């Protein structure tokens, strides 16, 4: 009788080791990504206000253009992990190559759009007449690095699917260091100004893509996988990624609506919202790392026809997400008096931010569950459900958020609507996880 819990305890320890081994390096790689923009901002900022403003507009457009195609990483992770679970490494890497070829095709299309429309895009997004020329220069040069950025996304998905999150961490750190050095050399040493910053980023991104391609190609040769583009495989990758694209666009629409509403609440509330949104994004990295582990682990279990293992892993990861969310929420409350002065000395901004920060802290346990279940369903290849669930969440959030200024609500009320949005996501994801319909075993879904 006393030995009965041994097996469940051993299973939990095994899941814990897998989660930590994948999530910790993934967190490091995720944190390294925004450091590219921070390094560019720090270096370009010393050129002048107009240059920094131009960089701000151009980099926001660039990150949006790349961010909407994050499905290249997510869908590839799930598909590759399934084949790893099925024991077919050759097919796993072949699947990854299809994702990489799709990334190159999308990258070429984005370049074709970005180059001629750059000035119009700057005007559309409100760049001032002094900042617009710098923004246009930065965007046009940086556009040449978009295929490399998308290849990095797809190749990262390949390695995550192969249960390797350490290599993406090493590449991300190396890319950040190279980007910082190249920016200093080209901006100041070569006196290229903002163009030097753009070229430095392009070269760093191309270097990262080259390293990833070397790793994937070496694996392809080892296991006899073809490197040639396959129209059927590329089309299958695009079809698998389409629902995740809908999910991502819906989520970005939610964030844009929240920012638009905050702007209507006044300058102090808008400034406080920007601070809180930055913190919310930082907290998301920690939770997203567990979600990434979930994508890789769940895909592998389902590919190995181990439905019970997938259920147990899901259950354990939800526990991890909940506990992590509680810890992050407590940290936010404890550090709020230290955090806010780093961004603003304006007492009006700080007064607006404090109650909203408490709302963010209270929402973190919900966020922890949401991120984990999102990762689980991605790992299961359940993209269609994720798309419909996010569209439903957008439909609920939009009218609630738009009513905030009309009913005299403030920033705290807006972040209450954001918490409602996360609760809605949690409900839809929990119902799906409980139904078991996401559990489809085999090398393909």
């Amino acid at each position: 009788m006393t030995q009965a819990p041994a097996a469940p305890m051993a299973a939990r320890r095994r899941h814990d080791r897998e989660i930590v081994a994948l999530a910790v390096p993934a967190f490091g790689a995720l944190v390294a990504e925004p450091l590219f923009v921070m390094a560019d901002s720090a270096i370009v900022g010393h050129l002048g206000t107009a240059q920094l403003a131009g960089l701000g507009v151009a980099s926001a457009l660039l990150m949006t253009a790349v961010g909407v195609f994050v499905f290249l990483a997510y869908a590839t992770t799930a598909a590759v992990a399934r084949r790893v679970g099925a024991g077919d490494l050759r097919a796993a890497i072949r699947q990854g190559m299809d994702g990489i070829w799709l990334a190159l095709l999308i990258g070429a299309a984005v370049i074709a759009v970005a180059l001629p429309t750059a000035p119009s895009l700057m005007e559309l997004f409100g760049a001032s007449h002094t900042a617009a020329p710098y923004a246009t220069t930065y965007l046009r040069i940086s556009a040449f690095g978009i295929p490399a950025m998308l290849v990095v996304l797809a190749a990262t998905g390949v390695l995550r699917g192969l249960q390797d999150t350490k290599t993406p961490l090493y590449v991300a750190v190396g890319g950040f260091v190279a980007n910082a050095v190249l920016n200093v050399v080209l901006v100041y040493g070569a006196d290229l100004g903002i163009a030097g910053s753009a070229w430095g980023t392009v070269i760093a991104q191309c270097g990262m893509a080259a390293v990833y391609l070397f790793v994937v190609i070496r694996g392809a040769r080892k296991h006899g996988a073809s490197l040639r583009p396959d129209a059927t495989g590329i089309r299958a990758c695009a079809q698998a990624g389409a629902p995740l694209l809908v999910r991502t666009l819906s989520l970005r629409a939610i964030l844009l609506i929240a920012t638009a509403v905050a702007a209507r609440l006044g300058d102090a509330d808008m400034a406080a919202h920007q601070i809180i949104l930055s913190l919310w994004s930082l907290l998301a990295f920690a939770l997203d790392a567990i979600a990434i582990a979930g994508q890789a682990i769940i895909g592998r279990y389902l590919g190995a026809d181990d439905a019970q293992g997938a259920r147990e892993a899901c259950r354990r990861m939800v526990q991890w997400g909940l506990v992590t969310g509680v810890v992050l929420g407590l940290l936010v409350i404890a550090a709020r008096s230290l955090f806010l002065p780093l961004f603003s000395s304006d007492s009006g901004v700080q007064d607006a931010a404090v109650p909203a920060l408490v709302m963010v802290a209270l929402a973190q346990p919900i966020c922890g569950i949401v991120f984990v279940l999102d990762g689980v369903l991605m790992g299961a290849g359940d993209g269609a459900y994720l798309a419909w669930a996010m569209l439903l969440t957008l439909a609920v959030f939009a009218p609630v958020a738009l009513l905030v200024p009309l009913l005299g609500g403030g920033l705290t009320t807006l972040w209450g609507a954001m918490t409602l949005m996360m609760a809605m996501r949690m409900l839809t994801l929990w119902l799906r996880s409980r139904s078991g319909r996401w559990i489809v075993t085999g090398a393909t879904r």
Side-chain angles (χ1 to χ4, degrees):
M1 294 291 291
T2 57
Q3 295 181 350
M9 183 62 71
R12 284 197 295 270
R13 285 197 294 265
R14 184 179 72 252
H15 292 314
D16 289 345
R17 286 194 298 269
E18 289 180 333
I19 293 167
V20 170
L22 291 171
V24 172
F27 174 71
L30 288 169
V31 170
E33 291 175 8
L35 293 179
F36 270 83
V37 176
M38 290 180 64
D40 287 3
S41 299
I43 294 167
V44 171
H46 292 286
L47 295 174
T49 301
Q51 288 90 331
L52 183 58
L55 172 67
V57 176
S59 62
L61 276 170
L62 197 62
M63 291 302 100
T64 299
V66 174
V68 296
F69 298 115
V70 73
F71 71 83
L72 290 166
Y74 294 160
T76 303
T77 297
V80 171
R82 275 184 175 270
R83 286 162 174 78
V84 169
D88 192 347
L89 289 177
R90 179 180 178 180
I93 296 175
R94 175 64 258 181
Q95 177 77 39
M97 285 304 306
D98 291 335
I100 289 172
W101 281 112
L102 177 61
L104 288 170
L105 290 174
I106 293 174
V110 174
I111 289 178
V113 172
L115 291 180
T117 61
S120 299
L121 288 172
M122 294 309 105
E123 183 179 351
L124 178 65
F125 280 80
S128 68
H129 70 280
T130 54
Y134 296 112
T136 300
T137 296
Y138 189 90
L139 182 62
R140 279 179 165 164
I141 295 173
S142 296
F144 290 105
I146 288 176
M149 295 180 192
L150 298 183
V151 166
V152 166
L153 283 178
T156 299
V158 175
L159 295 182
R160 288 174 182 170
L162 293 170
Q163 317 297 297
D164 176 10
T165 55
K166 290 183 179 179
T167 299
L169 171 60
Y170 301 148
V171 175
V173 172
F176 166 70
V177 173
N179 177 66
V181 172
L182 286 166
N183 266 259
V184 171
V185 170
L186 295 176
V187 171
Y188 298 117
D191 198 25
L192 294 179
I194 196 170
S197 177
W199 281 118
T201 301
V202 169
I203 294 169
Q205 291 286 354
C206 289
M208 292 171 66
V211 172
Y212 275 121
L213 289 175
F214 172 79
V215 173
V216 174
I217 290 171
R218 184 178 61 183
R221 288 175 175 170
K222 179 180 178 181
H223 297 286
S226 174
L227 298 173
R228 296 179 179 178
D230 176 67
T232 301
I234 294 172
R235 186 164 54 250
C237 285
Q239 291 171 345
L244 295 181
L245 176 61
V246 173
R247 167 203 167 275
T248 301
L249 289 173
S250 300
L251 180 57
R252 288 191 173 271
I254 287 171
L255 298 177
L256 286 172
I257 289 171
T259 300
V261 170
R264 286 168 172 77
L265 299 177
D267 289 347
D269 279 354
M270 180 59 211
H273 174 76
Q274 184 59 35
I275 294 170
I276 294 170
L277 192 60
S278 299
L279 175 63
W280 196 70
S281 300
L282 179 62
L283 297 173
F285 286 135
L287 300 173
D288 204 25
I290 304 174
I292 287 169
Q295 294 170 29
I297 293 170
I298 293 298
R300 192 188 74 234
Y301 274 116
L302 294 178
D305 293 322
D306 188 354
Q308 184 59 31
R311 289 190 186 92
E312 292 174 356
C314 173
R315 189 178 304 114
R316 190 58 176 164
M317 280 182 286
V318 168
Q319 293 170 356
W320 270 77
L322 177 60
V323 171
T324 303
V326 170
V327 171
L328 291 175
L330 292 174
L331 287 174
V332 169
I333 291 175
R336 66 186 186 279
S337 60
L338 300 174
F339 173 76
L340 289 173
L342 294 176
F343 291 86
S344 176
S345 57
D346 187 326
S347 60
V349 173
Q350 293 186 20
D351 290 343
V354 168
L357 269 181
V358 173
M359 185 68 69
V360 169
L362 294 174
Q364 288 311 297
I366 297 174
C367 295
I369 296 173
V370 167
F371 274 78
V372 167
L373 289 178
D374 205 40
V376 165
L377 296 186
M378 283 185 190
D382 203 10
Y385 181 84
L386 289 172
W388 284 111
M390 190 59 79
L391 285 171
L392 176 61
T393 301
L394 173 60
V396 171
F397 171 78
V400 173
L402 293 173
L403 282 172
V404 169
L406 296 178
L407 298 179
L411 188 64
T412 304
T413 306
L414 174 61
W415 276 94
M418 289 288 284
T419 302
L420 172 65
M421 177 272 293
M422 294 304 293
M424 184 68 187
R425 289 186 68 190
M426 183 177 71
L427 176 62
T428 57
L429 296 174
W430 179 78
L431 289 173
R432 186 63 167 182
S433 68
R434 291 284 294 176
S435 74
R437 294 178 183 175
W438 58 277
I439 301 177
V440 179
T441 58
T444 58
R445 182 177 174 87

